[in-house]
Amino acid sequence: MSVVIRLARAGTKKRPVYHVVVADSRFPRDGRFIERLGHFNPLLPKDNEARLKLDMDKVKAWLAKGAQPSDRVTRFLDAAGVVKRTARNNPEKAVPRKERKAQAEAAAKA
């Protein structure tokens, strides 16, 4: 069983609130989960303390058991100093698409 720590959407239409949950990776996003670890409200300002609430003891316990955090939860845990997020390298992202296409054609002709 692959266990993940991820966000489950709650709230109403156009007013999202997310629960941070531990779930089997095969279960639907908003479906069955094992345990609720906290909540996240993206509508609050970033400096507001109520934007993200996590029970760090439970998070550390699940990480010790082998649960894998999702990308967004990894960002939260990195900000809290629990998990180190790996740097990503995408050098193609900064280059406009037309220029990349022209470079590829020039490389193919040469």
Side-chain angles (χ1 to χ4, degrees), residues 13-86:
K13 184 170 133 181
K14 301 193 184 212
R15 305 286 296 170
V17 175
Y18 295 92
H19 299 291
V20 181
V21 297
V22 178
D24 187 328
S25 63
R26 297 171 291 187
F27 294 157
R29 178 193 71 182
D30 300 336
R32 198 165 104 197
F33 59 89
I34 300 168
E35 186 175 12
R36 187 171 158 205
L37 305 177
H39 66 273
F40 171 61
N41 186 350
L43 299 178
L44 294 176
K46 291 187 179 183
D47 58 348
N48 192 335
E49 292 180 9
R51 182 177 167 98
L52 175 67
K53 293 280 186 186
L54 283 175
D55 187 346
M56 284 300 172
D57 296 332
K58 288 182 181 179
V59 170
K60 289 177 185 176
W62 277 106
L63 290 173
K65 292 176 188 175
Q68 295 295 315
S70 67
D71 290 340
R72 180 56 53 182
V73 173
T74 303
R75 283 179 172 268
F76 297 152
L77 297 178
D78 184 38
V82 176
V83 173
K84 181 71 176 134
R85 189 168 56 116
T86 58

